[in-house]
PDB file of all heavy atoms in Angstrom:
ATOM      1  N   SER A   9      13.964  -8.780  -1.520  1.00  0.00           N
ATOM      2  CA  SER A   9      15.017  -9.114  -0.421  1.00  0.00           C
ATOM      3  C   SER A   9      15.988 -10.147  -0.880  1.00  0.00           C
ATOM      4  O   SER A   9      16.933 -10.340  -0.202  1.00  0.00           O
ATOM      5  CB  SER A   9      14.275  -9.621   0.875  1.00  0.00           C
ATOM      6  OG  SER A   9      13.616 -10.749   0.629  1.00  0.00           O
ATOM      7  N   GLY A  10      15.664 -10.869  -1.987  1.00  0.00           N
ATOM      8  CA  GLY A  10      16.782 -11.840  -2.475  1.00  0.00           C
ATOM      9  C   GLY A  10      16.585 -12.013  -3.847  1.00  0.00           C
ATOM     10  O   GLY A  10      15.488 -11.885  -4.542  1.00  0.00           O
ATOM     11  N   ILE A  11      17.714 -12.304  -4.658  1.00  0.00           N
ATOM     12  CA  ILE A  11      17.733 -12.472  -6.140  1.00  0.00           C
ATOM     13  C   ILE A  11      18.462 -13.790  -6.283  1.00  0.00           C
ATOM     14  O   ILE A  11      19.558 -13.994  -5.883  1.00  0.00           O
ATOM     15  CB  ILE A  11      18.254 -11.349  -6.849  1.00  0.00           C
ATOM     16  CG1 ILE A  11      17.776 -10.054  -6.407  1.00  0.00           C
ATOM     17  CG2 ILE A  11      18.246 -11.489  -8.293  1.00  0.00           C
ATOM     18  CD1 ILE A  11      18.486  -8.795  -6.943  1.00  0.00           C
ATOM     19  N   GLY A  12      17.944 -14.601  -7.339  1.00  0.00           N
ATOM     20  CA  GLY A  12      18.673 -15.773  -7.727  1.00  0.00           C
ATOM     21  C   GLY A  12      18.510 -16.029  -9.270  1.00  0.00           C
ATOM     22  O   GLY A  12      17.667 -15.492  -9.905  1.00  0.00           O
ATOM     23  N   ARG A  13      19.376 -16.834  -9.738  1.00  0.00           N
ATOM     24  CA  ARG A  13      19.264 -17.073 -11.192  1.00  0.00           C
ATOM     25  C   ARG A  13      19.744 -18.570 -11.500  1.00  0.00           C
ATOM     26  O   ARG A  13      20.396 -19.312 -10.672  1.00  0.00           O
ATOM     27  CB  ARG A  13      20.067 -16.262 -12.024  1.00  0.00           C
ATOM     28  CG  ARG A  13      21.642 -16.360 -12.020  1.00  0.00           C
ATOM     29  CD  ARG A  13      22.349 -15.583 -12.894  1.00  0.00           C
ATOM     30  NE  ARG A  13      23.787 -15.856 -12.833  1.00  0.00           N
ATOM     31  CZ  ARG A  13      24.720 -15.146 -13.538  1.00  0.00           C
ATOM     32  NH1 ARG A  13      24.354 -14.152 -14.242  1.00  0.00           N
ATOM     33  NH2 ARG A  13      25.974 -15.630 -13.504  1.00  0.00           N
ATOM     34  N   TYR A  14      19.383 -19.041 -12.643  1.00  0.00           N
ATOM     35  CA  TYR A  14      19.911 -20.309 -13.144  1.00  0.00           C
ATOM     36  C   TYR A  14      20.203 -20.142 -14.632  1.00  0.00           C
ATOM     37  O   TYR A  14      19.361 -19.655 -15.483  1.00  0.00           O
ATOM     38  CB  TYR A  14      18.977 -21.483 -13.089  1.00  0.00           C
ATOM     39  CG  TYR A  14      19.584 -22.680 -13.714  1.00  0.00           C
ATOM     40  CD1 TYR A  14      20.603 -23.522 -12.989  1.00  0.00           C
ATOM     41  CD2 TYR A  14      19.271 -23.145 -14.819  1.00  0.00           C
ATOM     42  CE1 TYR A  14      21.346 -24.559 -13.586  1.00  0.00           C
ATOM     43  CE2 TYR A  14      19.954 -24.257 -15.611  1.00  0.00           C
ATOM     44  CZ  TYR A  14      20.850 -24.904 -14.843  1.00  0.00           C
ATOM     45  OH  TYR A  14      21.593 -26.003 -15.470  1.00  0.00           O
ATOM     46  N   LEU A  15      21.503 -20.408 -15.106  1.00  0.00           N
ATOM     47  CA  LEU A  15      21.917 -20.434 -16.492  1.00  0.00           C
ATOM     48  C   LEU A  15      22.377 -21.731 -16.877  1.00  0.00           C
ATOM     49  O   LEU A  15      23.225 -22.374 -16.290  1.00  0.00           O
ATOM     50  CB  LEU A  15      22.965 -19.311 -16.645  1.00  0.00           C
ATOM     51  CG  LEU A  15      22.633 -17.870 -16.400  1.00  0.00           C
ATOM     52  CD1 LEU A  15      23.990 -17.208 -16.309  1.00  0.00           C
ATOM     53  CD2 LEU A  15      21.837 -17.406 -17.522  1.00  0.00           C
ATOM     54  N   PRO A  16      21.834 -22.288 -17.958  1.00  0.00           N
ATOM     55  CA  PRO A  16      22.405 -23.587 -18.506  1.00  0.00           C
ATOM     56  C   PRO A  16      23.875 -23.435 -18.871  1.00  0.00           C
ATOM     57  O   PRO A  16      24.361 -22.326 -19.094  1.00  0.00           O
ATOM     58  CB  PRO A  16      21.642 -23.924 -19.716  1.00  0.00           C
ATOM     59  CG  PRO A  16      20.236 -23.047 -19.500  1.00  0.00           C
ATOM     60  CD  PRO A  16      20.727 -21.895 -18.732  1.00  0.00           C
ATOM     61  N   GLU A  17      24.649 -24.535 -18.758  1.00  0.00           N
ATOM     62  CA  GLU A  17      25.979 -24.482 -19.109  1.00  0.00           C
ATOM     63  C   GLU A  17      26.373 -24.297 -20.539  1.00  0.00           C
ATOM     64  O   GLU A  17      27.371 -23.609 -20.859  1.00  0.00           O
ATOM     65  CB  GLU A  17      26.658 -25.786 -18.520  1.00  0.00           C
ATOM     66  CG  GLU A  17      26.659 -25.995 -17.023  1.00  0.00           C
ATOM     67  CD  GLU A  17      27.382 -27.198 -16.665  1.00  0.00           C
ATOM     68  OE1 GLU A  17      27.932 -27.851 -17.383  1.00  0.00           O
ATOM     69  OE2 GLU A  17      27.504 -27.624 -15.518  1.00  0.00           O
ATOM     70  N   TYR A  18      25.501 -24.928 -21.346  1.00  0.00           N
ATOM     71  CA  TYR A  18      25.903 -24.842 -22.807  1.00  0.00           C
ATOM     72  C   TYR A  18      25.685 -23.418 -23.408  1.00  0.00           C
ATOM     73  O   TYR A  18      24.651 -22.888 -23.275  1.00  0.00           O
ATOM     74  CB  TYR A  18      25.011 -25.799 -23.561  1.00  0.00           C
ATOM     75  CG  TYR A  18      25.330 -26.061 -25.151  1.00  0.00           C
ATOM     76  CD1 TYR A  18      26.442 -26.750 -25.430  1.00  0.00           C
ATOM     77  CD2 TYR A  18      24.730 -25.268 -26.045  1.00  0.00           C
ATOM     78  CE1 TYR A  18      26.913 -26.916 -26.777  1.00  0.00           C
ATOM     79  CE2 TYR A  18      25.232 -25.317 -27.491  1.00  0.00           C
ATOM     80  CZ  TYR A  18      26.152 -26.117 -27.750  1.00  0.00           C
ATOM     81  OH  TYR A  18      26.596 -26.313 -29.083  1.00  0.00           O
ATOM     82  N   ILE A  19      26.677 -22.970 -24.185  1.00  0.00           N
ATOM     83  CA  ILE A  19      26.659 -21.677 -24.779  1.00  0.00           C
ATOM     84  C   ILE A  19      26.672 -21.756 -26.260  1.00  0.00           C
ATOM     85  O   ILE A  19      27.550 -22.473 -26.859  1.00  0.00           O
ATOM     86  CB  ILE A  19      27.996 -20.764 -24.462  1.00  0.00           C
ATOM     87  CG1 ILE A  19      28.050 -20.682 -22.895  1.00  0.00           C
ATOM     88  CG2 ILE A  19      27.936 -19.481 -25.059  1.00  0.00           C
ATOM     89  CD1 ILE A  19      29.385 -20.013 -22.402  1.00  0.00           C
ATOM     90  N   LEU A  20      25.588 -21.315 -26.766  1.00  0.00           N
ATOM     91  CA  LEU A  20      25.304 -21.319 -28.314  1.00  0.00           C
ATOM     92  C   LEU A  20      25.794 -19.950 -28.871  1.00  0.00           C
ATOM     93  O   LEU A  20      25.091 -18.913 -28.584  1.00  0.00           O
ATOM     94  CB  LEU A  20      23.861 -21.729 -28.628  1.00  0.00           C
ATOM     95  CG  LEU A  20      23.593 -21.641 -30.133  1.00  0.00           C
ATOM     96  CD1 LEU A  20      24.347 -22.638 -30.934  1.00  0.00           C
ATOM     97  CD2 LEU A  20      22.117 -21.841 -30.350  1.00  0.00           C
ATOM     98  N   THR A  21      26.952 -20.076 -29.495  1.00  0.00           N
ATOM     99  CA  THR A  21      27.495 -18.788 -29.999  1.00  0.00           C
ATOM    100  C   THR A  21      27.013 -18.440 -31.435  1.00  0.00           C
ATOM    101  O   THR A  21      26.321 -19.316 -32.086  1.00  0.00           O
ATOM    102  CB  THR A  21      28.948 -18.808 -30.128  1.00  0.00           C
ATOM    103  OG1 THR A  21      29.303 -19.856 -31.159  1.00  0.00           O
ATOM    104  CG2 THR A  21      29.620 -19.162 -28.786  1.00  0.00           C
ATOM    105  N   ASN A  22      27.103 -17.206 -31.802  1.00  0.00           N
ATOM    106  CA  ASN A  22      26.776 -16.858 -33.089  1.00  0.00           C
ATOM    107  C   ASN A  22      27.518 -17.643 -34.309  1.00  0.00           C
ATOM    108  O   ASN A  22      27.019 -17.899 -35.296  1.00  0.00           O
ATOM    109  CB  ASN A  22      27.027 -15.357 -33.342  1.00  0.00           C
ATOM    110  CG  ASN A  22      26.150 -14.436 -32.558  1.00  0.00           C
ATOM    111  OD1 ASN A  22      25.085 -14.864 -32.087  1.00  0.00           O
ATOM    112  ND2 ASN A  22      26.371 -13.180 -32.647  1.00  0.00           N
ATOM    113  N   LYS A  23      28.819 -17.972 -33.931  1.00  0.00           N
ATOM    114  CA  LYS A  23      29.560 -18.578 -34.797  1.00  0.00           C
ATOM    115  C   LYS A  23      29.092 -19.961 -35.091  1.00  0.00           C
ATOM    116  O   LYS A  23      28.986 -20.576 -36.249  1.00  0.00           O
ATOM    117  CB  LYS A  23      31.104 -18.750 -34.325  1.00  0.00           C
ATOM    118  CG  LYS A  23      31.874 -17.530 -34.506  1.00  0.00           C
ATOM    119  CD  LYS A  23      32.129 -17.072 -35.874  1.00  0.00           C
ATOM    120  CE  LYS A  23      33.162 -15.928 -36.034  1.00  0.00           C
ATOM    121  NZ  LYS A  23      33.160 -15.577 -37.438  1.00  0.00           N
ATOM    122  N   GLU A  24      28.483 -20.706 -34.008  1.00  0.00           N
ATOM    123  CA  GLU A  24      27.882 -21.873 -34.261  1.00  0.00           C
ATOM    124  C   GLU A  24      26.610 -21.797 -34.862  1.00  0.00           C
ATOM    125  O   GLU A  24      26.221 -22.696 -35.807  1.00  0.00           O
ATOM    126  CB  GLU A  24      27.785 -22.578 -32.849  1.00  0.00           C
ATOM    127  CG  GLU A  24      27.067 -24.060 -33.007  1.00  0.00           C
ATOM    128  CD  GLU A  24      26.911 -24.724 -31.658  1.00  0.00           C
ATOM    129  OE1 GLU A  24      27.338 -24.308 -30.612  1.00  0.00           O
ATOM    130  OE2 GLU A  24      26.411 -25.941 -31.558  1.00  0.00           O
ATOM    131  N   LEU A  25      25.801 -20.801 -34.756  1.00  0.00           N
ATOM    132  CA  LEU A  25      24.530 -20.564 -35.606  1.00  0.00           C
ATOM    133  C   LEU A  25      24.893 -20.431 -37.015  1.00  0.00           C
ATOM    134  O   LEU A  25      24.085 -20.705 -37.824  1.00  0.00           O
ATOM    135  CB  LEU A  25      23.860 -19.345 -35.113  1.00  0.00           C
ATOM    136  CG  LEU A  25      22.960 -19.497 -33.831  1.00  0.00           C
ATOM    137  CD1 LEU A  25      22.490 -18.298 -33.329  1.00  0.00           C
ATOM    138  CD2 LEU A  25      21.865 -20.457 -34.034  1.00  0.00           C
ATOM    139  N   GLU A  26      26.042 -19.917 -37.427  1.00  0.00           N
ATOM    140  CA  GLU A  26      26.502 -19.746 -38.715  1.00  0.00           C
ATOM    141  C   GLU A  26      26.472 -21.163 -39.346  1.00  0.00           C
ATOM    142  O   GLU A  26      26.219 -21.094 -40.716  1.00  0.00           O
ATOM    143  CB  GLU A  26      27.827 -18.985 -38.910  1.00  0.00           C
ATOM    144  CG  GLU A  26      27.781 -17.635 -38.537  1.00  0.00           C
ATOM    145  CD  GLU A  26      29.223 -17.017 -38.614  1.00  0.00           C
ATOM    146  OE1 GLU A  26      30.089 -17.677 -39.039  1.00  0.00           O
ATOM    147  OE2 GLU A  26      29.458 -15.812 -38.319  1.00  0.00           O
ATOM    148  N   THR A  27      26.648 -22.180 -38.791  1.00  0.00           N
ATOM    149  CA  THR A  27      26.731 -23.588 -39.189  1.00  0.00           C
ATOM    150  C   THR A  27      25.298 -24.117 -39.380  1.00  0.00           C
ATOM    151  O   THR A  27      25.136 -25.249 -39.977  1.00  0.00           O
ATOM    152  CB  THR A  27      27.673 -24.511 -38.498  1.00  0.00           C
ATOM    153  OG1 THR A  27      27.074 -24.603 -37.214  1.00  0.00           O
ATOM    154  CG2 THR A  27      28.960 -23.775 -38.108  1.00  0.00           C
ATOM    155  N   MET A  28      24.357 -23.540 -38.797  1.00  0.00           N
ATOM    156  CA  MET A  28      23.057 -24.046 -38.715  1.00  0.00           C
ATOM    157  C   MET A  28      21.978 -23.396 -39.621  1.00  0.00           C
ATOM    158  O   MET A  28      21.047 -24.082 -40.213  1.00  0.00           O
ATOM    159  CB  MET A  28      22.486 -23.938 -37.287  1.00  0.00           C
ATOM    160  CG  MET A  28      23.471 -24.633 -36.177  1.00  0.00           C
ATOM    161  SD  MET A  28      23.021 -24.248 -34.495  1.00  0.00           S
ATOM    162  CE  MET A  28      21.346 -24.683 -34.228  1.00  0.00           C
ATOM    163  N   VAL A  29      22.172 -22.030 -39.686  1.00  0.00           N
ATOM    164  CA  VAL A  29      21.234 -21.291 -40.636  1.00  0.00           C
ATOM    165  C   VAL A  29      22.096 -20.359 -41.428  1.00  0.00           C
ATOM    166  O   VAL A  29      23.287 -19.986 -40.962  1.00  0.00           O
ATOM    167  CB  VAL A  29      20.169 -20.590 -39.793  1.00  0.00           C
ATOM    168  CG1 VAL A  29      19.211 -21.559 -39.166  1.00  0.00           C
ATOM    169  CG2 VAL A  29      20.671 -19.711 -38.759  1.00  0.00           C
ATOM    170  N   GLU A  30      21.395 -19.760 -42.423  1.00  0.00           N
ATOM    171  CA  GLU A  30      22.167 -18.672 -43.255  1.00  0.00           C
ATOM    172  C   GLU A  30      22.073 -17.292 -42.470  1.00  0.00           C
ATOM    173  O   GLU A  30      21.174 -16.566 -42.561  1.00  0.00           O
ATOM    174  CB  GLU A  30      21.431 -18.633 -44.649  1.00  0.00           C
ATOM    175  CG  GLU A  30      22.189 -17.556 -45.529  1.00  0.00           C
ATOM    176  CD  GLU A  30      21.478 -17.607 -46.840  1.00  0.00           C
ATOM    177  OE1 GLU A  30      20.666 -18.340 -47.064  1.00  0.00           O
ATOM    178  OE2 GLU A  30      21.889 -16.654 -47.642  1.00  0.00           O
ATOM    179  N   THR A  31      23.113 -17.221 -41.783  1.00  0.00           N
ATOM    180  CA  THR A  31      23.392 -15.956 -40.907  1.00  0.00           C
ATOM    181  C   THR A  31      24.842 -15.804 -40.716  1.00  0.00           C
ATOM    182  O   THR A  31      25.653 -16.787 -41.013  1.00  0.00           O
ATOM    183  CB  THR A  31      22.487 -16.039 -39.764  1.00  0.00           C
ATOM    184  OG1 THR A  31      22.522 -14.524 -39.094  1.00  0.00           O
ATOM    185  CG2 THR A  31      23.007 -16.877 -38.658  1.00  0.00           C
ATOM    186  N   ASN A  32      25.196 -14.694 -39.987  1.00  0.00           N
ATOM    187  CA  ASN A  32      26.701 -14.551 -39.512  1.00  0.00           C
ATOM    188  C   ASN A  32      26.687 -13.768 -38.287  1.00  0.00           C
ATOM    189  O   ASN A  32      25.678 -12.954 -38.014  1.00  0.00           O
ATOM    190  CB  ASN A  32      27.505 -14.000 -40.745  1.00  0.00           C
ATOM    191  CG  ASN A  32      27.089 -12.463 -41.056  1.00  0.00           C
ATOM    192  OD1 ASN A  32      27.243 -11.530 -40.333  1.00  0.00           O
ATOM    193  ND2 ASN A  32      26.352 -12.400 -42.318  1.00  0.00           N
ATOM    194  N   ASP A  33      27.736 -13.717 -37.789  1.00  0.00           N
ATOM    195  CA  ASP A  33      28.001 -13.075 -36.438  1.00  0.00           C
ATOM    196  C   ASP A  33      27.928 -11.657 -36.441  1.00  0.00           C
ATOM    197  O   ASP A  33      27.129 -11.031 -35.648  1.00  0.00           O
ATOM    198  CB  ASP A  33      29.515 -13.370 -35.819  1.00  0.00           C
ATOM    199  CG  ASP A  33      29.723 -12.710 -34.568  1.00  0.00           C
ATOM    200  OD1 ASP A  33      29.176 -12.954 -33.632  1.00  0.00           O
ATOM    201  OD2 ASP A  33      30.697 -11.864 -34.742  1.00  0.00           O
ATOM    202  N   GLU A  34      28.423 -10.981 -37.495  1.00  0.00           N
ATOM    203  CA  GLU A  34      28.235  -9.592 -37.610  1.00  0.00           C
ATOM    204  C   GLU A  34      26.784  -9.046 -37.824  1.00  0.00           C
ATOM    205  O   GLU A  34      26.393  -8.108 -37.145  1.00  0.00           O
ATOM    206  CB  GLU A  34      29.114  -9.013 -38.753  1.00  0.00           C
ATOM    207  CG  GLU A  34      29.365  -7.633 -38.765  1.00  0.00           C
ATOM    208  CD  GLU A  34      28.142  -6.850 -39.438  1.00  0.00           C
ATOM    209  OE1 GLU A  34      27.487  -7.472 -40.328  1.00  0.00           O
ATOM    210  OE2 GLU A  34      27.953  -5.554 -39.071  1.00  0.00           O
ATOM    211  N   TRP A  35      26.062  -9.746 -38.702  1.00  0.00           N
ATOM    212  CA  TRP A  35      24.718  -9.481 -38.912  1.00  0.00           C
ATOM    213  C   TRP A  35      23.854  -9.567 -37.594  1.00  0.00           C
ATOM    214  O   TRP A  35      23.090  -8.668 -37.275  1.00  0.00           O
ATOM    215  CB  TRP A  35      24.141 -10.412 -39.889  1.00  0.00           C
ATOM    216  CG  TRP A  35      22.769 -10.006 -40.403  1.00  0.00           C
ATOM    217  CD1 TRP A  35      22.537  -9.188 -41.536  1.00  0.00           C
ATOM    218  CD2 TRP A  35      21.469 -10.307 -39.998  1.00  0.00           C
ATOM    219  NE1 TRP A  35      21.179  -8.953 -41.678  1.00  0.00           N
ATOM    220  CE2 TRP A  35      20.560  -9.742 -40.753  1.00  0.00           C
ATOM    221  CE3 TRP A  35      21.052 -11.024 -38.754  1.00  0.00           C
ATOM    222  CZ2 TRP A  35      19.178  -9.813 -40.378  1.00  0.00           C
ATOM    223  CZ3 TRP A  35      19.684 -11.078 -38.506  1.00  0.00           C
ATOM    224  CH2 TRP A  35      18.798 -10.541 -39.385  1.00  0.00           C
ATOM    225  N   ILE A  36      24.078 -10.583 -36.849  1.00  0.00           N
ATOM    226  CA  ILE A  36      23.283 -10.773 -35.703  1.00  0.00           C
ATOM    227  C   ILE A  36      23.643  -9.682 -34.584  1.00  0.00           C
ATOM    228  O   ILE A  36      22.787  -9.031 -33.935  1.00  0.00           O
ATOM    229  CB  ILE A  36      23.622 -12.155 -34.996  1.00  0.00           C
ATOM    230  CG1 ILE A  36      23.181 -13.270 -35.976  1.00  0.00           C
ATOM    231  CG2 ILE A  36      22.868 -12.305 -33.521  1.00  0.00           C
ATOM    232  CD1 ILE A  36      23.555 -14.751 -35.500  1.00  0.00           C
TER     233      ILE A  36
END
Side-chain angles (χ1 to χ4, degrees):
S9 62
I11 310 173
R13 75 175 185 187
Y14 176 80
L15 295 168
E17 293 182 3
Y18 187 81
I19 299 173
L20 177 60
T21 65
N22 291 348
K23 286 295 183 183
E24 185 174 353
L25 277 173
E26 289 178 3
T27 69
M28 300 165 62
V29 293
E30 187 180 345
T31 189
N32 62 74
D33 174 63
E34 192 280 331
W35 190 92
I36 297 171

